[in-house]
Amino acid sequence: MGSFWHPTEDKILGCLVDGLPRSAYQIGLETGIEAQALWSCLGRCWKKGLVLRSEKPIIEKVKVFRGRTGLKEINKTYYLYIYNSFKNQNEVVINGVRFVSWDEKYLDKRRPKPENKARLILKFLSENQDKAFYSKEILKQ
């Protein structure tokens, strides 16, 4: 199969080509790409080796207005991305931040995906194929 043209990738890479690290939020503001498409495409670009991502998330304290409660200080967590000018480059250090190419060990472990109810029920039934259950019995398990 031939390669396909991805205009979203082109916009992201065009934004990062100057070599300055940017967060996904900054990339979204500059390119106008909607959030879901941006995250999907950034992940694809990272896996292809077109961009490098900061190894660890950047944590920054930010004051946010929360209505009647006033200003609250929260920790804003995000990753930075840079253009991988040399496709064979696996890591780069810029201003003390280590940028790495895609590897499963660098995936974000902060929010593991919970198993949904349907998968839990299917898992339970597949483990107990030789038995019959009422729905109340499955619920108790």
Side-chain angles (χ1 to χ4, degrees):
M1 288 208 137
S3 61
F4 294 100
W5 176 58
H6 295 285
T8 309
E9 279 183 15
D10 287 348
K11 286 182 182 179
I12 289 173
L13 296 177
C15 174
L16 294 173
V17 79
D18 63 1
L20 296 175
R22 288 181 179 80
S23 68
Y25 177 75
Q26 291 169 321
I27 295 169
L29 285 178
E30 290 182 29
T31 59
I33 301 170
E34 159 181 328
Q36 189 173 0
L38 178 68
W39 284 111
S40 175
C41 192
L42 270 174
R44 249 189 345 264
C45 288
W46 189 34
K47 281 186 178 182
K48 287 181 181 179
L50 300 173
V51 299
L52 300 176
R53 190 191 79 176
S54 57
E55 177 184 26
K56 297 177 184 173
I58 309 299
I59 301 171
E60 177 179 285
K61 288 194 181 281
V62 178
K63 290 188 180 191
V64 179
F65 182 69
R66 295 285 186 196
R68 289 185 183 181
T69 58
L71 287 175
K72 293 280 184 179
E73 195 171 271
I74 62 168
N75 288 333
K76 183 179 175 184
T77 306
Y78 57 91
Y79 288 96
L80 294 175
Y81 296 87
I82 61 166
Y83 180 69
N84 189 2
S85 52
F86 305 103
K87 302 297 183 255
N88 60 356
Q89 205 167 13
N90 290 332
E91 66 178 63
V92 174
V93 177
I94 299 175
N95 297 331
V97 178
R98 186 171 171 233
F99 292 89
V100 294
S101 60
W102 189 88
D103 193 340
E104 208 164 302
K105 66 182 177 184
Y106 297 123
L107 293 177
D108 196 349
K109 308 270 190 289
R110 291 176 294 156
R111 294 186 190 107
K113 293 181 180 177
E115 285 195 72
N116 63 23
K117 292 177 190 174
R119 291 204 189 276
L120 289 173
I121 292 169
L122 287 173
K123 181 180 173 184
F124 176 77
L125 291 175
S126 67
E127 290 172 355
N128 299 293
Q129 289 180 358
D130 56 332
K131 300 174 188 169
F133 298 96
Y134 289 107
S135 57
K136 290 182 180 181
E137 292 174 318
I138 295 172
L139 180 65
K140 289 178 185 177
Q141 303 295 330

